[in-house]
Amino acid sequence: MPRYGISVREILKRTVIVEAENAEKAVRKAEEAVERDEVILDVDDYDDREIVPSEYWEGGRIPDGEDVSCYWQLEGCDGGT
């Protein structure tokens, strides 16, 4: 049976208020704050989830014989079908 790589992406988001002359400078200030670890997102900042075929393989399908032992494997999960 074919195997597929499926990517699960969870998106964290937090809005911060920044005083600045314009939006570009506000973004820069926020980026600098993140780099200084002043803004650290955690589970409370969960916003969305996306589950899609992995971009590592065309259409997510893993070629026969490819070593994927370093990935988390959901063996025997048939969802009841």
Side-chain angles (χ1 to χ4, degrees), residues 31-68:
E31 289 172 341
E32 291 168 355
V34 169
E35 289 174 10
R36 290 190 304 270
D37 292 333
E38 292 176 22
V39 179
I40 299 174
L41 305 184
D42 59 30
V43 69
D44 293 329
D45 298 303
Y46 174 83
D47 184 59
D48 198 8
R49 177 181 297 132
E50 178 182 62
I51 301 175
V52 298
S54 174
E55 66 275 5
Y56 298 130
W57 302 281
E58 186 174 339
R61 185 170 179 166
I62 301 168
D64 290 341
E66 181 149 348
D67 180 12
V68 291

Side-chain angles (χ1 to χ4, degrees), residues 5 8 13 15 26-27 29 34 43 47-48 51 61 72 76-77 81:
V8 178
K13 178 177 79 174
T15 299
V27 167
K29 283 184 174 184
V34 169
V43 69
D47 184 59
D48 198 8
I51 301 175
R61 185 170 179 166
W72 186 329
C77 290
T81 60

Side-chain angles (χ1 to χ4, degrees), residues 3-22:
R3 296 180 302 164
Y4 291 85
I6 304 298
S7 293
V8 178
R9 296 181 183 122
E10 291 189 336
I11 299 167
L12 304 179
K13 178 177 79 174
R14 179 183 301 172
T15 299
V16 296
I17 307 304
V18 180
E19 289 186 14
E21 295 174 19
N22 56 49

